[in-house]
Each structure stands twice: as structure tokens, then as C-alpha cells.
Amino acid sequence: MKMSATKSLATHRVFAGQMNEAHTLFGGQTVSWLDEAASISAHRFARRPLVTAGVDHMTYVAPVAIGDAVMYHSIVTGAGKRSLEVFTRIVGERMATGEHYLVGYAWLSFVTPEPAALPALTIDDDFGAQLHAGYAKRRAANATARVALPTLPLD
């Protein structure tokens, strides 16, 4: 499947009930919308059941104010046999002026419980190609981190 066919854009308006104590958009709301947006790209690619395996990296760059809009630009940047990676750029828009600003960006991993292999990813997007260039290294780092994690106590 072509990388460009996995692109998705989700837009949300920020209201008073979504603020944190600093009067900016609550991080939990940001991540909830992130997971939802990234899952659209993931499912466009896989066309089968998927679950979020991890938010591998999340960076906040700027806070979001009440009344602003938040846009999530997602694209599949790599795929293995049963897992795939999605990159999402989060862009804010000041509704009063139309100014855009970078809110943050993230990498998420999704896996399918089905045994059949995922389709091959065809790189046909310039920005996506730049992101894809680091896919193998990020995937290896995630695998190393999982192995290095000690058994976590449940209490």
C-alpha cells in the first residue's frame, strides 16, 4: 500500500472542560486524540483489527489555549509482519488569527492479533520517506528496551 494513502487529518476545537490547572489543553486529552488520529492511518494501512502497542515517543513543543483548534496529521512510516509505526504531527491554530504553530509530535506502534502478515508499505511521500529512513533503528531500540525491562511487580 502507498504511504500517501495512509495520511489522515483530524481536527478538534479546545473548550474549557479540556483544560489543565495551567489553563492549557490537558495532556491526557492530547494523547487521547493522538491515539484516535493515529489509529485512522494505521487502519487505512492494515484494514484489519489493530491495537495500540505503545506511544513510543511523545514530545510537547507548545501549549494549546482555550478556543484554539488542534490538528493531528498522521502517516504510516514503517511496517513489519504484524506491527506498524505511525508518525503524528500536532499543529495548533489560533482561531482568531489563523496562525499555525507546532504543538508536538509522536511515534506510535500498532499490532494486529491476526497471524497473516501486513501489506508492504510503498514509500511515495517525500516527508514520509525521511521519517521511514529511521524506522529500522526506532524498531530495534523499542525491542531492546522491552527486553531490558525487568519484571515489574504488581504491587
Side-chain angles (χ1 to χ4, degrees):
M1 166 173 274
K2 290 182 178 181
M3 178 183 271
S4 61
T6 71
K7 287 183 178 182
S8 71
L9 173 63
T11 305
H12 300 275
R13 184 82 186 263
V14 178
F15 295 103
Q18 298 156 328
M19 298 288 103
N20 61 25
E21 63 188 21
H23 305 288
T24 60
L25 180 61
F26 174 57
Q29 181 65 69
T30 306
V31 173
S32 176
W33 286 339
L34 167 68
D35 191 25
E36 182 181 333
S39 77
I40 300 294
S41 288
H43 281 85
R44 281 185 177 155
F45 175 76
R47 299 293 182 197
R48 66 181 73 175
L50 294 168
V51 295
T52 307
V55 177
D56 302 327
H57 180 88
M58 173 71 204
T59 298
Y60 292 98
V61 175
V64 180
I66 189 169
D68 285 2
V70 185
M71 297 167 283
Y72 292 77
H73 301 260
S74 298
I75 189 169
V76 172
T77 53
K81 291 180 182 175
R82 293 188 50 218
S83 67
L84 62 97
E85 175 188 80
V86 177
F87 175 80
T88 302
R89 180 179 59 230
I90 308 167
V91 177
E93 179 180 356
R94 300 191 203 295
M95 298 307 293
T97 65
E99 173 195 358
H100 288 183
Y101 58 97
L102 183 63
V103 172
Y105 56 92
W107 303 94
L108 292 86
S109 292
F110 292 83
V111 297
T112 180
E114 295 184 358
L118 292 168
L121 182 64
T122 303
I123 313 303
D124 69 336
D125 180 88
D126 290 340
F127 181 62
Q130 292 175 32
L131 298 170
H132 177 74
Y135 169 66
K137 186 176 179 180
R138 289 187 300 274
R139 186 173 180 191
N142 287 343
T144 300
R146 278 193 306 275
V147 170
L149 186 67
T151 302
L152 297 176
L154 300 178
D155 56 0

